[in-house]
Amino acid sequence: MVVAHNPAERESAALLMEALSELVASEDYAARVVEADRAGRMALDNVAALQQLGVVGLPASTRFGVDGPTLKLSVAVMEMLGRHDASTAVAINMNWAGVRTLRRFPSFPRRDEALTAVTEGRGAICGAFSNPSTELDSRKARLSCRLEGEHVVLDGRAGFGSMSDAATHAVLGGMVEASDPADPLFVLTLGRIGETGLIKHDNWSAMGMRGTGSNDIECRGLRIPMEECLIAPVSEFRRSRTADSAATAFGIAAIWVGLSEAALDFTLEHVQRRYGSMAEGTFNASTTQFRADEAWAQTGIGNMDHWLGTGRDLLHGMADRLDAGEDVPTRDLVRTLFHLRRMSEEVSMGAMKVCGAHGYVTARKLERIFRDLVGGVVMAWKTDHLQQTLGLGALGRPIVFTGPAGS
């Protein structure tokens, strides 16, 4: 059940989920997912269809009150998107993070322009604040900013600009050169994709999550009028709210749940058709039953079912608590993320072990699901670090909860 604040919002949420379910289950949508993954490009037609439904601009939607949609609804959307195409889901979730961030800031022209475009279904937001994908030195992942007359001039290159293939705007920011080192000026603005001085490099190439459009974004003498920027001492920029960090983090966790659901669905169908145990043919058969009848396969499926069921319940329960306005302890937030991180590890490896070599071929979608799940393992949080954080919290030491891009 999708929770909303009042009957009208609940009806809007139900209609959205019904339309989304129909779209992602369509043959055309599925075919474009496969094509995009093989080409290493974003499924742009699918993104356009999701824009028309209002999914891309969901955090700014007025259909769900002044605070936007519930976390429960956002999680449900991401879970469904992740079940059918994790790449597009990740790109939209990072776009959502940009939308939520911009909504918290005061009005300035490029902010308002970008939010209007996203809300009206004709725009999307990306942001690149990490290392370029082939650069290992994080000290180089930043923009330089200088003030020249009435303009801000930006230079530099950053990576992992998810959604950039379909984006109309890129969030940009950096410290102003030669400003007070004790409290330097910070510039926040947006570049228009395609304008002079803003370069999208089309260089994303990954083992999994191939269709996220996570390209490098470069500023090369990008000049933006100061009036189209937000410029203030860094001390005046508020740290991300826990609610926003949780929404982005649990959006990604919902994608893991959707992927895990897809992996389990495939595994259940596969083992009930896969006759025989090993790779031998009819001249050397060692069993005369389907894999679903093998005790070891049943045990593996049971483990997958346990992790998926408990992970889904924990995530949905956390969304309910946050929507209710509960002051959720940081340890509970971290514990939820840790459990879901472990869930994706167990389910991905479980599917591979149970399905075997006939599941690990490109003709079947488990190969893409597995790559995307492993892509989640390398992304952002590390399982061991989350576990250590829980230990520190149990010891009474201070811990923080951060989104995938840190705090």
Side-chain angles (χ1 to χ4, degrees):
M1 181 180 69
V2 176
V3 176
H5 298 296
N6 58 51
E9 292 170 22
R10 284 195 290 272
E11 182 179 2
S12 293
L15 290 173
L16 175 63
M17 293 303 297
E18 181 180 355
L20 178 60
S21 177
E22 182 178 350
L23 172 64
V24 298
S26 69
E27 291 184 3
D28 287 345
Y29 190 97
R32 291 192 290 261
V33 170
V34 174
E35 180 182 356
D37 178 72
R38 289 177 178 170
R41 298 288 182 183
M42 182 171 282
L44 294 176
D45 288 344
N46 286 354
V47 174
L50 292 165
Q51 285 177 310
Q52 292 179 2
L53 286 184
V55 169
V56 175
L58 187 63
S61 174
T62 57
R63 289 183 293 167
F64 304 98
V66 295
D67 295 327
T70 61
L71 180 57
K72 184 83 167 184
L73 175 58
S74 297
V75 162
V77 169
M78 279 298 145
E79 186 176 328
M80 185 174 291
L81 288 174
R83 191 168 190 163
H84 294 271
D85 178 18
S87 284
T88 296
V90 166
I92 290 175
N93 193 63
M94 297 313 295
N95 159 83
W96 282 4
V99 172
R100 292 188 190 101
T101 298
L102 292 177
R103 288 192 74 192
R104 292 193 298 107
F105 286 114
S107 170
F108 61 93
R110 293 202 177 206
R111 167 212 181 259
D112 300 346
E113 173 188 304
L115 286 178
T116 298
V118 173
T119 303
E120 294 179 354
R122 53 182 177 82
I125 294 171
C126 69
F129 293 94
S130 187
N131 302 16
S133 57
T134 57
E135 174 60 64
L136 302 182
D137 190 342
S138 61
R139 292 169 295 183
K140 298 179 181 179
R142 63 188 65 193
L143 297 181
S144 66
C145 303
R146 64 183 187 275
L147 306 182
E148 289 188 359
E150 298 300 315
H151 287 80
V152 172
V153 182
L154 299 107
D155 287 282
R157 180 166 173 164
F160 293 87
S162 300
M163 184 55 97
S164 61
D165 283 342
T168 51
H169 296 79
V171 180
L172 307 171
M175 305 294 185
V176 175
E177 295 178 351
S179 57
D180 181 2
D183 193 11
L185 288 176
F186 185 83
V187 173
L188 177 72
T189 189
L190 292 102
R192 301 183 182 109
I193 300 295
E195 71 176 318
T196 301
L198 184 64
I199 302 163
K200 179 173 72 73
H201 278 278
D202 294 328
N203 65 330
W204 179 239
S205 180
M207 288 183 278
M209 302 288 185
R210 290 176 175 172
T212 60
S214 301
N215 301 292
D216 288 359
I217 300 294
E218 182 179 3
C219 294
R220 195 177 295 173
L222 176 63
R223 299 177 66 86
I224 298 180
M226 292 176 64
E227 65 184 18
E228 297 181 13
C229 307
L230 184 61
I231 306 174
V234 71
S235 61
E236 294 183 15
F237 283 84
R238 293 177 299 170
R239 177 177 171 157
S240 297
R241 298 182 306 168
T242 298
D244 291 334
S245 294
T248 300
F250 293 137
I252 290 176
I255 297 168
W256 299 340
V257 170
L259 273 168
S260 296
E261 290 169 342
L264 181 58
D265 287 346
F266 179 93
T267 302
L268 293 174
E269 192 272 340
H270 182 81
V271 298
Q272 294 179 89
R273 295 176 57 202
R274 173 67 166 95
Y275 189 80
S277 177
M278 303 298 286
E280 70 272 358
T282 56
F283 295 106
N284 188 30
S286 62
T287 183
T288 57
Q289 60 185 2
F290 289 96
R291 185 162 292 190
D293 299 315
E294 298 277 355
W296 65 268
Q298 295 165 357
T299 300
I301 290 170
N303 187 60
M304 293 171 66
D305 181 72
H306 161 75
W307 280 101
L308 175 57
T310 55
R312 185 196 295 118
D313 287 350
L314 195 58
L315 176 61
H316 291 186
M318 181 56 67
D320 287 338
R321 293 172 65 184
L322 290 168
D323 281 337
E326 182 179 334
D327 185 14
V328 178
T330 302
R331 282 171 65 190
D332 287 6
L333 298 172
V334 176
R335 187 181 297 112
T336 301
L337 197 58
F338 171 70
H339 188 89
L340 288 156
R341 178 71 277 146
R342 287 286 297 116
M343 173 204 71
S344 60
E345 293 172 352
E346 290 288 332
V347 171
S348 59
M349 291 308 300
M352 284 295 99
K353 291 176 181 178
V354 173
C355 291
H358 288 83
Y360 195 59
V361 293
T362 56
R364 294 186 172 89
K365 65 181 180 180
L366 180 61
E367 186 260 356
R368 170 173 54 83
I369 294 168
F370 177 72
R371 283 189 286 103
D372 286 348
L373 270 169
V374 173
V377 172
V378 304
M379 179 171 52
W381 313 275
K382 301 298 180 282
T383 310
D384 293 343
H385 183 251
L386 290 168
Q387 189 171 9
Q388 180 203 13
T389 302
L390 285 175
L392 289 171
L395 289 167
R397 300 180 186 181
I399 59 174
V400 295
F401 180 83
T402 65
S407 57

